[in-house]
Amino acid sequence: MLSTFTNITSLRIHGLHLLDRSAVTHRRDAADRDSRHYLEVLHDATCAQNIECLELLGVFECDPFTSEWGAGSTPSYSIHADVRFPQLKRLAIEGRLLHRELPLIRSLLRSSNQITYLSLSGPIPSICDFDMDVAIMKYHSNTLEQLILDGDCGRIISPTIQSTVLKTLNLSGCKNLEALQPASHCPNLEVLDLSNCSNLSPDFLNMKHLSQFCPRLKVLKLRMNTTIDEIDCVDDKVRNNSSEKPCLPHLEHIDIRDCPVLRHVTIRSPVLSIVELRGCNHMQTLAISSPVLCTLCAAWLYSLEKLSLDCQILTYLDLTGCHKLSEKCRQLKCPSLQRWGLKSDGDATEASDTNNSRE
């Protein structure tokens, strides 16, 4: 069976479920046998030489007394540490990984120095700062372009991330993450996703600190953050000058939906085109300046009391449900915004009729 895989470059194993001894005795069906053969590729050095893309997707479980894999979790890769994947560039692992010492992940991370894409998704409670600092960043800082840890990585608290090639960093769902170490620096990072990281330090989320960590950031996702109460993307040194300098001048997209304690938002960027902020029920002030933003949905911001917009080509603004926002507290420098494009509780019917007539 292994000879079949000798020349393959991409291998995906989906939905693999290693059964316990009693189930194996009574359920030796073809699918189960094939799954076991597929996994044997990871044990055979000859078959591993040409693999560039490896994806392990689905559920991975094993009874500790299963004789076919020996004691321990699925399988015990500590005894196969010499197996190399010298051409491996893309590694994705998803599912419930029951690895007390993470032998599978650590072995695969050590097996190649060419990994450009790494995705670990699902509950991985044992992965920790040491894995981030050493197994991932130390060995792959010169090649890794996309790093995705999308799940419950329970022991990642304050890692150090340094890379000149990293462009995407997704730590969403790392609920114990507090901050990155001060030495962290990714000058070419473009996408940062910290959604659902409920323990982040407000100091770390200071936009000035983020601008030092990733000065070329284009996409920032902070959805469902429960610690940040203010976002200010304007440099304090020039705040009183006529031309305010943005902290993140390359920011194109910001997602701050469902942040329950967020109260004050000030965003300035010459390229900002997407702002997502629904569900921020305690937001009181919102100020946005962008020459390229054309639509903005600020609906159902129940606590919004002050709105300031400087958006030259903004044509559509939805303020439905902003009951505390009076016309006197709207400072709109939006020459392209027509009456039909302003939707609020009093204008909803008119806006709807106008849109229907245009169609």
Side-chain angles (χ1 to χ4, degrees):
M1 182 68 180
L2 292 177
S3 60
T4 306
F5 298 98
T6 302
N7 296 318
I8 66 168
T9 59
S10 180
L11 175 64
R12 170 181 288 188
I13 304 177
H14 186 275
L16 179 63
H17 192 126
L18 298 184
L19 305 173
D20 60 27
R21 180 185 300 176
S22 58
V24 169
T25 303
H26 297 94
R27 295 181 58 186
R28 297 295 295 175
D29 53 36
D32 181 44
R33 291 195 300 272
D34 289 344
S35 294
R36 292 176 182 275
H37 285 310
Y38 295 154
L39 197 60
E40 287 177 11
V41 174
L42 304 182
H43 293 262
D44 188 271
T46 302
C47 297
Q49 294 302 307
N50 297 317
I51 294 181
E52 298 180 0
C53 175
L54 177 62
E55 299 181 12
L56 307 178
L57 312 176
V59 180
F60 290 76
E61 294 182 351
C62 182
D63 182 83
F65 301 102
T66 301
S67 59
E68 293 196 29
W69 296 114
S73 30
T74 305
S76 180
Y77 282 87
S78 58
I79 61 174
H80 298 281
D82 57 336
V83 176
R84 304 286 294 178
F85 296 82
Q87 305 299 323
L88 188 63
K89 296 179 175 64
R90 182 183 178 92
L91 173 62
I93 303 177
E94 296 180 8
R96 294 168 54 199
L97 301 181
L98 306 181
H99 299 274
R100 181 175 299 178
E101 299 298 333
L102 294 177
L104 168 62
I105 296 175
R106 288 169 176 160
S107 177
L108 292 175
L109 289 174
R110 291 193 304 265
S111 68
S112 169
N113 59 3
Q114 299 188 51
I115 295 179
T116 61
Y117 175 94
L118 173 61
S119 175
L120 306 178
S121 300
I124 314 175
S126 297
I127 194 169
C128 61
D129 288 348
F130 177 81
D131 296 300
M132 285 284 292
D133 296 346
V134 178
I136 297 178
M137 298 313 305
K138 180 178 179 180
Y139 286 93
H140 307 291
S141 62
N142 294 325
T143 60
L144 193 61
E145 297 179 1
Q146 298 183 68
L147 173 58
I148 302 172
L149 299 181
D150 184 8
D152 185 9
C153 300
R155 296 173 62 190
I156 294 182
I157 299 175
S158 183
T160 300
I161 299 181
Q162 294 178 323
S163 173
T164 59
V165 298
L166 189 65
K167 293 184 178 181
T168 298
L169 176 60
N170 184 343
L171 300 177
S172 60
C174 295
K175 295 185 180 299
N176 289 324
L177 179 67
E178 297 178 357
L180 301 182
Q181 289 293 328
S184 298
H185 185 54
C186 297
N188 295 306
L189 189 70
E190 297 180 353
V191 179
L192 176 61
D193 191 345
L194 299 173
S195 301
N196 201 24
C197 295
S198 54
N199 203 39
L200 284 173
S201 166
D203 292 336
F204 169 69
L205 289 176
N206 182 287
M207 294 299 114
K208 183 178 179 181
H209 292 167
L210 283 182
S211 67
Q212 295 172 351
F213 166 60
C214 47
R216 296 184 177 275
L217 191 66
K218 294 182 178 180
V219 179
L220 176 61
K221 297 185 178 182
L222 297 172
R223 186 179 184 184
M224 293 187 290
N225 179 275
T226 58
T227 59
I228 186 171
D229 63 353
E230 181 178 9
I231 292 177
D232 191 343
C233 295
V234 178
D235 194 333
D236 291 333
K237 294 181 180 179
V238 294
R239 183 176 300 278
N240 297 324
N241 296 342
S242 58
S243 59
E244 297 176 342
K245 179 181 179 182
C247 291
L248 298 170
H250 303 280
L251 189 65
E252 300 176 0
H253 178 187
I254 184 168
D255 183 355
I256 50 177
R257 289 173 292 169
D258 304 311
C259 294
V261 300
L262 184 60
R263 288 177 170 79
H264 308 286
V265 175
T266 302
I267 306 173
R268 181 180 178 88
S269 170
V271 293
L272 184 68
S273 59
I274 301 176
V275 179
E276 299 180 83
L277 38 73
R278 276 181 176 264
C280 297
N281 296 333
H282 291 87
M283 185 182 297
Q284 298 174 0
T285 63
L286 174 63
I288 299 177
S289 176
S290 169
V292 298
L293 185 66
C294 60
T295 64
L296 177 63
C297 179
W300 308 111
L301 302 181
Y302 303 108
S303 302
L304 189 64
E305 298 177 353
K306 184 177 180 180
L307 175 65
S308 176
L309 299 179
D310 185 359
C311 305
Q312 298 300 308
I313 67 171
L314 187 72
T315 58
Y316 180 79
L317 173 62
D318 188 353
L319 298 175
T320 305
C322 300
H323 304 304
K324 291 187 177 182
L325 182 64
S326 64
E327 291 189 13
K328 294 182 179 180
C329 296
R330 300 179 187 173
Q331 300 177 8
L332 306 181
K333 296 181 180 180
C334 309
S336 300
L337 181 64
Q338 304 297 324
R339 180 66 177 174
W340 65 268
L342 177 59
K343 184 178 179 181
S344 61
D345 291 334
D347 303 320
T349 302
E350 179 181 347
S352 177
D353 292 341
T354 307
N355 288 336
N356 290 335
S357 64
R358 284 174 169 263
E359 294 175 354

